[in-house]
Amino acid sequence: MAELTRRMASLSDVQGLWGLLRQAAAAVPFNADDEADQETLLSELVACCTSGLSPVVVDNEKGIVGALLARRDTFEWGFRNSEAIHVTYAAVAPAAKGDAVLPALLGELQGRKVPLLASVKSGEQLGFAAALGDLGFTHEVKALNGWGDLYQWTPPPSVHN
């Protein structure tokens, strides 16, 4: 098994993340051959890479093998002044699928101790919903439009002595 390290994505990662998303398109899922789907995902990718909130896992050759595309949740931010983070996409390279990449990435965000929302796209094959359930996320909404189901995690209250 290759040594894996975590870090936050930056704008310089757009090309590497795009390659990962195309490689894992069927599992994510998105239609890599549809121009409109590509445009939508690229826009989200740039927004998430500039958010400072998107964790990635890189292998010892500095290739991105896993990522959560995440950004400040605009509804929670705008209407509730909440620091909530929304994970809009998850991707793991086929070669790293068994390396517990998703729990490591989710743990990175849970460590921020802010509410987390995660969209699980209809037809995803990464086991993202199961990983969310294992880490204490609750299923909130089933979307009928294909965007996917919404899961939520709320950090436990702080204990002060």
Side-chain angles (χ1 to χ4, degrees):
M1 176 171 72
E3 185 175 329
L4 302 176
T5 56
R6 293 186 310 237
R7 63 175 173 78
M8 288 299 168
S10 68
L11 198 52
S12 65
D13 291 314
V14 168
Q15 185 175 357
L17 283 166
W18 181 243
L20 171 65
L21 287 163
R22 290 186 60 85
Q23 185 181 70
V28 169
F30 86 100
N31 185 352
D33 297 323
D34 182 84
E35 210 170 290
D37 277 1
Q38 288 181 24
E39 190 174 308
T40 298
L41 188 52
L42 278 168
S43 294
E44 185 66 20
L45 178 58
V46 170
C48 291
C49 281
T50 58
S51 73
L53 300 170
S54 295
V56 297
V57 171
V58 295
D59 62 16
N60 51 352
E61 296 170 4
K62 304 296 182 221
I64 298 172
V65 298
L68 296 180
L69 297 186
R71 57 183 166 76
R72 187 83 49 223
D73 186 273
T74 51
F75 176 82
E76 292 290 326
W77 179 257
F79 290 102
R80 297 184 181 154
N81 199 26
S82 169
E83 297 286 326
I85 297 170
H86 191 139
V87 177
T88 57
Y89 285 91
V92 177
K97 198 169 180 192
D99 291 340
V101 170
L102 289 175
L105 292 168
L106 288 163
E108 186 79 24
L109 291 179
Q110 284 178 311
R112 291 178 173 263
K113 307 243 184 286
V114 299
L116 301 176
L117 301 162
S119 295
V120 178
K121 307 303 179 265
S122 299
E124 75 87 23
Q125 300 169 17
L126 294 172
F128 192 37
L132 292 169
D134 291 347
L135 292 171
F137 282 73
T138 57
H139 183 258
E140 296 294 318
V141 177
K142 175 148 184 76
L144 300 177
N145 65 359
W147 178 247
D149 290 357
L150 184 67
Y151 290 77
Q152 182 172 354
W153 178 81
T154 303
S158 297
V159 177
H160 299 286
N161 291 337

